[in-house]
Each structure stands twice: as C-alpha cells, then as structure tokens.
Amino acid sequence: MKLVMVGTGYVGLVSGACFAEFGFETVCVDKDQNHIEKIKKGICPFFEPGINDLLVKHYQKTKLLSFTTSLSEAMQNADIVFITVGTPSRRIEDEADLTAVWDVSHEIAKNIKSYCVIATKSTVPVGTTKKIKKIIESKISSENFDVVSNPEFLREGSAINDFMRPDRVVIGTESEKSEKLMRELYRPLMLNETPIVSTTIETSEVIKYASNSFLATKISFINQVADLCEAVDANVQDVAKGMGIDKRIGSKFLHAGPGFGGSCFPKDVKAFAATAKKFNIDFSILEAVKSFNENRPQVIVKKILDTKKIDTNSNVALLGLSFKPNTDDIRDSTSLKIAAILQKHNIKINCYDPVAMDNARKHNKTLNFFDSVYDACEGVNAIIIGTCLLYTSPSPRDRG
Ligand code: NAD
C-alpha cells in the first residue's frame, strides 16, 4: 500500500514516519521547500522524542519514507492520501481557517489518476470532509475516489508512542471499499488490540473536537476548583487525587495550573464553540472554558504580584517556555503569555528551556535567555515554573 501525507508538520511527519514503521511506503509532501530540504539532511524541524531514529531508519535505511514538494510526483499510484495541513484559528472569528485544506483539496483533485482514498487527518469542523468531496468531484468522477475522516489524537512530546499505541483509531467512512482499506492500514495495531471506531464521516469529525474540548473543560474545571481551594484553605492536589480515583472521573487532565495552551486545545475549543453557534446550539460550557482559560495568565500574574515579593524592576526566572514539557512548540504557550504580562509591569525575565529557546527567541527577543536553570535563577526575586521540568535531557540526536 502506498501512502501520501500532504503537510509535513508535527502530524504529517510523525504519522508518516510511523506508517513507514508499520511497513508502508510513505511519501511526505510539503509546500515549504526549506522544510523538506532540512528533513532530507536529517534535521527534524521540531523537537519530538524518538522521531530522528525513525527518520534515519526509514528515510536512509529501509527507504520506505521519502520527502518531496511535488504532490503530482507523490500521488503516483497512491492508495491513501492524508490531508495533514494546519487548521489554525481565523484571525478575527473563532472558526477554523481551512484555507490550506481547500488549497490541497484542489491540488489533490488535479492529481488523481486511479482510485484512491482521501483521508482528513487534520482537525476539521463537521462537514469539511464532505466539502472536500465536492471539490474533488468537480474535477473527477466519484468512482475514482472516496473521502474518509481519520482524525489524529497524538500528543506532542509523546507523539510516536501515541501513534503506535493509541487508545483508539477513529475511521469515518461512507463506502465499504474505503473502510476496508483503512482497516487494512491499521491492521498492525490489532496486535495491541487497539479499538477501531467505525462511524459516519460527520460523527468522526465531531469525535475529535468533542474529545479535545472535553479535555480542555476538565483542565478549566480543576483550575476553578483550585481557585476555590485557595479561598477555603483546601488542597487542590488532594482534591484532584480524591476525585480522580473514581473511575467515572479518571485522574488525567486534573492538574491545576496556569491553563491550557498549545497548537490544539485553544483553537479546537474555539472552533467547536463556533460550530455550535452556527447551528444555534447552546454550548455555553465551552464559551466559559474559553474565556476562563484566556484570562488565566492574568490571574496567575496577579497571584504572583499579590505575594508582594516582587514589584517593578524585579528580576524573575521563568523555567519552561514551550506550551508543555518535551516539546519545542511554543504555539499559544501560557508561559510566554505570563512573561509578556510581567514585562508590561516592567519586570525583567530571565528564562531557560531545555529545547524551546530558539523558538521562544524568535517570538520574544526581549526576554533574557540563559544556558542553564542555575544561570537563569542567579540573583532573581522569584522563580516561576512555567512548564514542569521533570524531564531527562534529550540526546543530541533528538534535538535535531
Ligand atoms: P503544522 O503547522 O506543524 O504543519 C502543517 C504543515 O502543512 C506545514 O509544514 C505547512 O508548510 C504544510 N502545508 C500548508 N499548506 C500546504 C500545502 N498547500 N501543501 C503542502 N503542505 C502544506 O501543523 P500540525 O501541528 O502538524 O497540525 C496539522 C493538523 O493536525 C491540524 O489540523 C491540527 O489541529 C491537527 N492535529 C495536531 C496535533 C498536534 O499535536 N500538533 C495533534 C492532533 C491533530
């Protein structure tokens, strides 16, 4: 079976490398020439534990994995073409910006030569995959392709393990032929008895947004419980433990902190709420999650200032700059938001992160960057642990 990943970012590159590990010939395509050249030289454009070993194994040794900027070349004899481009928030409205999805759909339509499945792995609002079908149908007969929704649930920082040992695989199809092909693709996961959830395309699209929105809600819920605990002298960590032991609740995503960030939760909560609004559905829970989380960095800064231990012209160390540990992704990083608010109070920030310094430097040049935790903390008035550093140093190879 030959696979194509269109969009070679976190999801496209990791899933492409893992499909090669399953034994499939996989071509990763990206429109960004520099990005592709870098990967071909063995430099992974982002930090993800274990990815470099898979690239060496399947790009250099087995040759199952290849990279190109040419979609037409990649799509020759392809069986499944995955759309793995970004779906960020629009600048003004909360909806997902699907520009890249529509662009690649038109490109894919021009390059279908024989039957293949077009699968959306990007997180897309309900109805998108059927719209992709319409775009392709305007160029080519529907007998020559099927569309499928196959959302991705991997987490940055543990992406390879998540992909190779997922809790479930969701496949939304509308034909037996495409469902059979997708089940064949994920056959290697049957060894781990991974549940395959087969649904309609619309249901599959909703499962992804509902899952991320639910996890984000759990985080905001425990953060509100944390605020209450502070007011009544209770311990939120013990509360979370006492709640999480209950199997109906579960202990994951019950860690109080500065709020969620990253490339998925903030935009997915917004997009899911926007979908509800479009269909006149009351999803006020999500509106509350969104606004509470957006305000969280301000609340954290207020808590810091209320200690009266620091004021204007103080020096503060900020440890951890990415949106969570084990990644260099700083998209919507709460840590960097806290830094920016403190800077508005004329507080100087010394910072350190084991892998995200280069990205953070591009984002905010006015922070003081240090090469170690100890140097960053020297002589400061306070230390903020932005992302938990309970973490082993990456090998030089994993740094890319
Ligand atoms: P990303 O920004 O890291 O990568 C997207 C890639 O697509 C970029 O390299 C970009 O150059 C490329 N691209 C854009 N337009 C293109 C085009 N016309 N032709 C070819 N390539 C093009 O994004 P990501 O983090 O990998 O996310 C991709 C999708 O997967 C999003 O919808 C996201 O919500 C979803 N997702 C992400 C994660 C995650 O942890 N990052 C997890 C699950 C799902």
Side-chain angles (χ1 to χ4, degrees):
M1 196 181 317
K2 181 180 170 186
L3 314 177
V4 179
M5 317 305 297
V6 190
T8 308
Y10 282 87
V11 167
L13 185 57
V14 170
S15 39
C18 291
F19 280 137
E21 180 74 0
F22 285 178
F24 298 116
E25 179 189 352
T26 308
V27 188
C28 295
V29 186
D30 205 284
K31 65 172 186 179
D32 183 338
Q33 178 111 31
N34 286 338
H35 189 75
I36 290 293
E37 289 309 320
K38 232 173 157 181
I39 300 170
K40 282 181 167 176
K41 284 184 191 137
I43 306 165
C44 181
F46 49 82
F47 173 79
E48 182 60 44
I51 188 71
N52 286 297
D53 291 341
L54 281 186
L55 293 184
V56 168
K57 183 171 172 189
H58 295 298
Y59 178 55
Q60 291 174 12
K61 294 187 184 146
T62 68
K63 314 262 186 231
L64 282 170
L65 194 58
S66 58
F67 300 94
T68 179
T69 51
S70 162
L71 184 62
S72 62
E73 187 188 301
M75 277 188 62
Q76 284 187 22
N77 305 318
D79 296 289
I80 307 176
V81 178
F82 286 95
I83 298 179
T84 48
V85 293
T87 50
S89 282
R90 278 181 193 279
R91 272 181 190 274
I92 300 166
E93 306 113 29
D94 280 350
E95 284 171 20
D97 182 346
L98 297 174
T99 312
V101 172
W102 305 141
D103 286 353
V104 297
S105 304
H106 286 286
E107 285 300 309
I108 288 169
K110 281 192 241 159
N111 287 294
I112 296 177
K113 302 280 183 270
S114 55
Y115 176 84
C116 64
V117 161
I118 314 301
T120 41
K121 212 170 234 320
S122 296
T123 304
V124 292
V126 61
T128 304
T129 306
K130 289 276 178 74
K131 282 188 194 154
I132 294 171
K133 181 180 177 183
K134 282 217 168 80
I135 290 175
I136 301 176
E137 254 173 0
S138 68
K139 296 246 166 52
I140 189 158
S141 155
S142 57
E143 284 155 29
N144 286 327
F145 74 97
D146 272 309
V147 288
V148 162
S149 162
N150 175 218
E152 185 48 59
F153 297 92
L154 62 78
R155 294 161 301 172
E156 288 173 24
S158 55
I160 291 165
N161 187 56
D162 289 347
F163 196 92
M164 304 299 281
R165 278 169 280 278
D167 288 338
R168 78 313 208 173
V169 168
V170 176
I171 304 173
T173 56
E174 55 175 4
S175 80
E176 264 180 44
K177 191 174 177 180
S178 59
E179 191 191 336
K180 210 171 144 213
L181 200 62
M182 293 303 287
R183 282 186 171 267
E184 182 62 26
L185 172 71
Y186 285 107
R187 208 147 63 99
L189 294 181
M190 280 180 183
L191 287 175
N192 320 333
E193 298 182 1
T194 303
I196 307 275
V197 181
S198 285
T199 69
T200 64
I201 288 174
E202 288 79 4
T203 305
S204 166
E205 290 171 330
V206 172
I207 288 173
K208 173 65 193 180
Y209 276 108
S211 302
N212 274 6
S213 298
F214 184 75
L215 294 173
T217 304
K218 228 176 151 184
I219 295 171
S220 286
F221 184 87
I222 199 65
N223 282 337
Q224 292 197 337
V225 173
D227 289 348
L228 182 76
C229 283
E230 271 182 23
V232 300
D233 213 11
N235 180 326
V236 69
Q237 276 159 349
D238 290 345
V239 171
K241 193 172 167 195
M243 288 170 65
I245 288 168
D246 186 329
K247 288 193 188 66
R248 294 169 304 174
I249 297 172
S251 58
K252 300 217 169 113
F253 287 78
L254 275 188
H255 302 285
F260 57 81
S263 63
C264 292
F265 283 6
K267 77 169 177 71
D268 291 351
V269 166
K270 282 186 199 167
F272 203 32
T275 301
K277 209 166 168 184
K278 193 168 147 194
F279 290 93
N280 270 329
I281 304 298
D282 178 358
F283 215 151
S284 38
I285 293 176
L286 278 192
E287 297 293 346
V289 168
K290 185 170 76 102
S291 62
F292 175 77
N293 192 67
E294 279 168 359
N295 197 38
R296 196 75 184 150
Q298 293 280 2
V299 172
I300 297 292
V301 169
K302 185 173 179 309
K303 280 183 203 290
I304 295 168
L305 296 178
D306 283 351
T307 61
K308 308 272 184 225
K309 302 269 191 252
I310 60 169
D311 51 26
T312 304
N313 294 325
S314 290
N315 227 339
V316 163
L318 178 61
L319 306 180
L321 303 170
S322 54
F323 82 92
K324 67 171 185 180
N326 258 344
T327 179
D328 63 352
D329 196 341
I330 57 153
R331 288 181 279 188
D332 251 317
S333 155
T334 309
S335 212
L336 289 173
K337 285 181 190 164
I338 290 171
I341 302 168
L342 287 170
Q343 283 184 315
K344 282 195 186 138
H345 290 270
N346 282 331
I347 291 164
K348 290 182 216 63
I349 316 280
N350 290 0
C351 59
Y352 173 75
D353 188 293
V355 289
M357 301 265 266
D358 288 347
N359 287 341
R361 228 178 243 119
K362 285 180 218 151
H363 173 84
N364 184 347
K365 291 187 179 58
T366 61
L367 300 170
N368 303 316
F369 293 91
F370 287 83
D371 290 336
S372 78
V373 174
Y374 300 106
D375 290 342
C377 294
E378 180 96 40
V380 296
N381 306 84
I383 298 171
I384 302 168
I385 300 177
T387 50
C388 180
L389 290 169
L390 294 174
Y391 172 80
T392 46
S393 275
S395 71
R397 207 138 54 94
D398 276 340
R399 281 172 187 273

